[in-house]
Structure formats: structure tokens, C-alpha cells
Amino acid sequence: MKKIWNELYNAAKAVQNEREVSDKIYAGGVGAAVESSSGKIYVGVCIDTLCTLGICAERNAIFNMITNGENQIKRVIAVMPDGKSGAPCGACREFMAQLMPNKYQNIEIMLDYDNEKIVKLGELTPEWWI
């Protein structure tokens, strides 16, 4: 496995801090890291709310990247509460596809860190906006 995946995994784990922010908001169960085209790593955590105003860790990390002036993603990893990695949800996939409409297919996604299973977003979302 490329060293960058270890760095991404560790960065996502480092921001994971499960906690109750208020009696209506829970944060940090999932941590995510994205590597931008410049090679910089951006992180984010999920923020779950009693309504639909929360955000996934992957989009939070991508928003962090955009806030810092970048808009091209190379790699994404999401680390679940049990320490395993998982696939981005449909909303996160859609956001990445809209962010990089002509290049999203090549974004690498770590599906299974323990077994080093990596796929490209184009494999998970092959027919975006037919």
C-alpha cells in the first residue's frame, strides 16, 4: 500500500473524537481525510443532528479543502467508529462528481483499509447524471 494511505488513515483517526456537542448534535463518530491535487491533506468529521442539517465527514473534509483554496481531490478515506474504512455515501459521491465533473472518475477511494481495497469513484458512480 502507498504510504499516503497510511498518512490519510492516521489523519482521519486523529480528528475522530466522538462526542455530544449539544443535546441535539453529535460529532466525530466518523473522521475523513482527503488528499488534494497539491498533495496536502485536509480532514473533517461527521456532524449528526436531530434534523437534516448535519454533514458527513468526507464533505466536511472537502469543504475544508475548498476553504483553503483548493478544488481537486486525489484520494479520500473515511474511518468509521470501529476503525474500519468505508465507502462515501451517495451525497458525498454526488458532491465529488459535481466538484470535478470531468475528472471525478479518477478519485481514489479507500474502501477497505485493512485489506487494502481501493477503487476509483468512477467505479462506484459510473453513470453520473446520464
Side-chain angles (χ1 to χ4, degrees):
M1 179 176 357
K2 291 182 181 179
K3 179 183 170 193
I4 186 63
W5 286 114
N6 294 324
E7 292 175 27
L8 289 165
Y9 180 86
N10 291 331
K13 280 294 283 177
V15 295
Q16 235 178 348
N17 176 18
E18 292 186 70
R19 64 199 178 278
E20 187 175 288
V21 177
S22 75
D23 63 345
K24 295 177 178 35
I25 298 177
Y26 181 79
V30 175
V34 299
E35 179 193 8
S36 69
S37 60
S38 74
K40 187 165 180 187
I41 295 173
Y42 297 92
V43 294
V45 297
C46 67
I47 302 171
D48 298 311
T49 66
L50 292 182
C51 63
T52 61
L53 296 177
I55 192 70
C56 295
E58 298 94 325
R59 279 182 285 151
N60 198 347
I62 295 166
F63 295 160
N64 185 4
M65 178 189 76
I66 292 169
T67 298
N68 283 281
E70 298 199 63
N71 60 358
Q72 298 290 311
I73 304 164
K74 286 172 67 175
R75 296 179 179 90
V76 177
I77 188 169
V79 179
M80 305 303 149
D82 64 1
K84 297 193 179 294
S85 61
C89 72
C92 290
R93 295 177 202 184
E94 176 68 22
F95 186 79
M96 288 186 277
Q98 287 189 37
L99 180 64
M100 299 173 52
N102 299 314
K103 298 178 183 176
Y104 80 91
Q105 299 90 340
N106 295 318
I107 297 171
E108 292 181 12
I109 308 288
M110 177 59 77
L111 282 186
D112 186 341
Y113 183 78
D114 293 335
N115 292 301
E116 301 181 17
K117 183 174 183 179
I118 301 163
V119 298
K120 294 203 175 181
L121 185 55
E123 296 172 66
L124 294 177
T125 310
E127 301 292 337
W128 178 65
W129 281 31
I130 296 175

